[in-house]
Amino acid sequence: MRTRVRGWRWRRNPLRRRSDVVEAWTVLVVAVLMSVVAPLAGMAAGLHAHDQARALAAAQRAERHQVRAVVVGDTPRRLTPSQSDPRQPYRAQVRWTEPGQGVRTAWARVPAGTRPGEPVSVWFDSRGRSAGPPADDVAVWQHTVTVGLCAAGGTATVVLLGHVIARRIALRHRLAEWEREWARTGPRWTQPRT
């Protein structure tokens, strides 16, 4: 039957080694780092990522504009391997009227299944190239949460890896201490008695 004695590494006793004390302090430090520092690192990284993602989304909204256009010409009959998903948007020629500039035609991404003559909403950047819609609040928050969780998980991984290394070092020191003690005590036990 095995009895657990809690806190034996903290109490003074003849069986406690220096490596036991170091290991006890390491466990305490790891607990604090895992419960306080890892979440704080995740929050800090998430907040930083949130600020950057909001700035990027604002820049995209300022640079891009949406137009209501009509698909002209034939839609692609043969999809490329990257567009094998029937829901994947594809490129088609669209035409729209822009105030002060007249009728314009360009290639743009249109939803899958769009037929010639159908109206679509497409996005263009300031240079007139087809672009995706700017990031919305949901995308910004998804990016924030992902970066925060990755930072917290990375911090926790580093802490746990450090703990494993510290335990291995403590075990090596403990075994060396036991070896030295046995070198002093062993001959008394193994000598033939007369």
Side-chain angles (χ1 to χ4, degrees):
M1 188 171 192
R2 194 171 175 197
T3 305
R4 277 193 89 125
V5 178
R6 297 189 186 274
W8 69 271
R9 289 186 170 126
W10 296 100
R11 296 186 198 139
R12 294 200 182 278
N13 66 57
L15 297 177
R16 184 183 74 172
R17 308 270 185 228
R18 182 172 177 224
S19 59
D20 296 329
V21 175
V22 170
E23 192 172 357
W25 279 104
T26 304
V27 168
L28 182 65
V29 168
V30 165
V32 169
L33 290 175
M34 291 292 286
S35 61
V36 176
V37 175
L40 286 177
M43 283 178 42
L47 289 174
H48 181 70
H50 182 73
D51 291 342
Q52 285 185 333
R54 279 184 46 201
L56 178 64
Q60 286 177 348
R61 280 192 294 275
E63 178 192 14
R64 298 176 186 180
H65 63 282
Q66 182 180 22
V67 297
R68 192 79 177 146
V70 175
V71 177
V72 294
D74 290 334
T75 57
R77 288 190 172 86
R78 197 168 188 197
L79 298 175
T80 62
S82 64
Q83 294 176 330
S84 59
D85 185 4
R87 298 168 292 168
Q88 187 76 16
Y90 56 89
R91 291 178 57 82
Q93 199 168 21
V94 296
R95 180 177 298 138
W96 74 97
T97 304
E98 205 164 299
Q101 294 184 357
V103 176
R104 294 190 59 191
T105 304
W107 288 91
R109 287 187 255 182
V110 296
T114 305
R115 295 192 175 101
E118 285 187 33
V120 292
S121 294
V122 291
W123 289 86
F124 291 98
D125 63 10
S126 60
R127 296 179 184 160
R129 295 179 300 190
S130 176
D136 59 355
D137 286 340
V138 172
V140 169
W141 279 106
Q142 285 174 340
H143 179 71
T144 300
V145 170
T146 301
V147 169
L149 288 175
C150 287
T155 303
T157 301
V158 168
V159 168
L160 290 176
L161 184 63
H163 178 62
V164 167
I165 291 170
R167 285 199 61 170
R168 285 193 175 257
I169 291 171
L171 178 61
R172 193 175 309 146
H173 284 289
R174 185 179 305 121
L175 291 176
E177 288 176 20
W178 285 351
E179 192 68 36
R180 283 191 301 270
E181 288 291 324
W182 182 251
R184 278 190 284 156
T185 309
R188 284 188 262 162
W189 287 72
T190 58
Q191 284 181 352
R193 295 179 190 226
T194 56

